[in-house]
Amino acid sequence: MRQIAINEVTIEREEHLLRARQAAREASSAMGFNLVDQTRLITAVSELTRNVYNYAGRGVVTLEKVEKNARSGLMVTVTDRGPGIADIELAMTDGYSTGGGLGNGLGGCQRLVDEFDIRSKAGEGTVVKIVKWQS
Amino acid sequence: MQKIPIIKIGENLIVSLQFDIDDSSAVGLQGDLLLMIQKTGATGVLVELSALDMVDSFMGRMLSDITRMSATMNANTVIVGIQPSVAITLVELGLRLEGVHTALNVEAGIALLEKLRTAKAGSGHETDSDK
């Protein structure tokens, strides 16, 4: 799989969520994703970066164009060194929240993209990778 | 934080979100709307979202909170102008905008607020005559 860096946004303050959404908007639009997929990507990035801001305080979002088997897609990696998630399966359940939200964030985010990978270790942080392939 | 203008027309307060807003601006808008309801006695709130290309779970919660908070102050809320791509994403995300009234555009939203006002006035009379 070939990866080409597009953009990187550091999340430290609330307004950086806007910046991350804008980066997702620009990247998905430049790559020619249809409007629904653009909205899915922007929304997924919003959910993931809000998690970072709320639970870890800071983190980094990288956007890359990926190419595999003559298909191209947008890969977004959201990394933080926050408290980590003790029970990922539970955290992915709709309606489960420790942060006062609706608890649709992670599970909902997974439904918006084609690939979703989450790795987390309590005390060390969380890395979420999502990919949306162009149809 | 950005201040979102609230316009009063007749008995309704109208808010149009013209750009992507951050969380504290959304929370600020919530408070401003309730203060405006108190100050003006407005009985309808219309929130227009046609310029938004994204409604995430936070914004979704804010919209349903505004609806419930306004209701406790005797005002109905109608959300209008949700884009098709936003509607698809909201459902996939699993968000239920429970108790939230929606309409296709501002015109239909105003008509719905009028209808809700009439229905409430009607049910009020019934309650009185029941006593």
Side-chain angles (χ1 to χ4, degrees), chain A residues 25 46-47 50 100 111, chain B residues 23-24 53 56-57 61 92:
Chain A
R25 187 174 288 125
S46 188
E47 297 294 338
R50 181 170 290 104
R111 288 191 291 271
Chain B
D23 296 359
S24 33
D53 62 0
D56 63 3
S57 60
R61 190 185 64 183
E92 288 175 347

Side-chain angles (χ1 to χ4, degrees), chain A residues 1-4 64-68 71 73 75 133:
Chain A
M1 190 164 77
R2 212 171 135 222
Q3 296 172 222
I4 306 149
E64 290 160 286
K65 182 178 177 178
V66 287
E67 288 168 355
K68 193 166 123 186
R71 285 177 93 193
M75 178 164 85
W133 295 103

Side-chain angles (χ1 to χ4, degrees), chain B residues 8-112:
Chain B
K8 180 177 178 288
I9 302 178
E11 293 188 64
N12 298 321
L13 299 178
I14 304 196
V15 177
S16 179
L17 294 180
Q18 293 292 319
F19 41 78
D20 196 5
I21 58 170
D22 60 25
D23 296 359
S24 33
S25 304
V27 172
L29 172 64
Q30 230 169 42
D32 288 349
L33 264 175
L34 297 178
L35 284 173
M36 276 287 272
I37 292 172
Q38 185 189 38
K39 208 168 86 182
T40 64
T43 50
V45 174
L46 187 131
V47 184
E48 201 272 332
L49 304 178
S50 65
L52 292 193
D53 62 0
M54 184 223 63
V55 172
D56 63 3
S57 60
F58 182 87
M59 184 66 99
R61 190 185 64 183
M62 189 206 74
L63 294 174
S64 71
D65 284 355
I66 284 180
T67 300
R68 286 188 296 145
M69 290 169 184
S70 306
T72 64
M73 295 181 71
N74 193 38
N76 295 304
T77 303
V78 175
I79 310 293
V80 307
I82 290 182
Q83 293 288 329
S85 60
V86 172
I88 291 169
T89 308
L90 274 175
V91 171
E92 288 175 347
L93 203 54
L95 279 187
R96 289 205 185 92
L97 298 181
E98 272 170 271
V100 176
H101 292 287
T102 57
L104 214 47
N105 52 41
V106 174
E107 213 172 350
I110 299 277
L112 178 55

